[in-house]
Amino acid sequence: MKSRIIRTAFFQRDPIRCARELVGTELIWGKCTGKIVETEAYLAENDEACHTFSRPTTRAFVERNKPGAAYIYFSYGAHWMLNVLVKNSADGFVLIRAVQPLRGIELMKKRRKIDDERRLCSGPGKLTQAFDITDRHHEMNLCVDPRHCFAYGDNDDVDVVADERIGITRSAHHLWRFTLRGSKFVSRRVNL
């Protein structure tokens, strides 16, 4: 049987293309699995919204890590954010913004203290809370361990919509937010 784990080669290309093609794949994290329904791309060069624009520590992270490494940071002193490093001619990150819960749903509900399945992982901070993703996973290689990885889904027919990035003030106009068309699990409806 072919391995479902998405390997390093997937993350050795353009961050924008990678963000688009991660929609419809699965995030596997311990006992929890979710179908990725929303991502955002960030470029390491000339993207004011990317941490590399103003943080030397993030630039050092890009230098020392391989494609497929987890980049996890604390946002606004409230939530962990899960990103994956993408490296090629254009380096950058893909922020995992939302997933549709598939497995471990009761555990996610317990961690989030809510019953509404649609709201369990409908935002990057909600997702990390539901999956128990924290800084202890920072720099983890997400291309080798079947317990902490991205995996190909069962359905290759995915209709992806490009939209402006959200939750940022600088460089928000780029159409680098990608969502699964019609998904009720995204963080915010698409502006069409």
Side-chain angles (χ1 to χ4, degrees):
M1 183 172 122
K2 178 184 160 192
S3 172
R4 293 182 57 223
I5 295 176
I6 296 176
R7 301 293 181 182
T8 305
F10 183 92
F11 301 103
Q12 292 175 314
R13 54 199 174 137
D14 178 85
I16 298 164
R17 181 176 166 206
C18 194
R20 175 183 282 278
E21 292 183 10
L22 273 173
V23 173
T25 66
E26 294 177 4
L27 174 64
I28 298 171
W29 210 270
K31 297 178 180 178
C32 298
T33 301
K35 179 180 184 178
I36 298 174
V37 297
E38 183 179 355
T39 63
E40 278 180 351
Y42 292 86
L43 301 182
E45 294 290 324
N46 302 317
D47 181 355
E48 290 183 80
C50 188
H51 284 182
T52 54
F53 194 80
S54 60
R55 296 182 184 182
T57 55
T58 305
R59 291 191 292 274
F61 171 90
V62 172
E63 289 299 315
R64 75 175 170 266
N65 282 282
K66 294 179 181 177
Y71 176 64
I72 298 172
Y73 64 90
F74 209 49
S75 179
Y76 302 112
H79 304 287
W80 295 107
M81 301 287 169
L82 171 64
N83 298 259
V84 60
L85 177 62
V86 180
K87 291 177 84 170
N88 198 351
S89 56
D91 297 343
F93 298 94
V94 176
L95 170 65
I96 310 304
R97 287 200 52 87
V99 303
Q100 175 183 340
L102 298 176
R103 187 173 57 88
I105 295 171
E106 292 307 313
L107 182 56
M108 292 182 205
K109 287 179 178 180
K110 182 179 177 183
R111 288 173 177 159
R112 292 264 300 120
K113 297 179 176 55
I114 63 169
D115 284 325
D116 185 350
E117 197 172 307
R118 188 190 61 76
R119 293 179 40 226
L120 281 177
C121 303
S122 61
K126 295 174 183 179
L127 181 159
T128 55
Q129 184 181 18
F131 278 62
D132 192 28
I133 297 171
T134 68
D135 63 338
R136 73 184 182 276
H137 303 109
H138 184 62
E139 299 195 50
M140 178 184 284
N141 183 342
L142 299 178
C143 300
V144 295
D145 182 355
R147 296 167 299 162
H148 300 95
C149 68
F150 298 99
Y152 293 103
D154 295 331
N155 185 0
D156 293 332
D157 186 25
V158 178
D159 189 4
V160 178
V161 178
D163 193 19
E164 291 182 351
R165 296 186 293 188
I166 57 177
I168 56 175
T169 55
R170 294 178 292 171
S171 301
H173 64 283
H174 295 297
L175 300 179
W176 296 345
R177 174 182 174 231
F178 301 99
T179 58
L180 181 63
R181 185 181 300 277
S183 175
K184 64 183 182 180
F185 297 93
V186 297
S187 63
R188 192 182 304 168
R189 277 192 263 171
V190 176
N191 298 321
L192 293 176

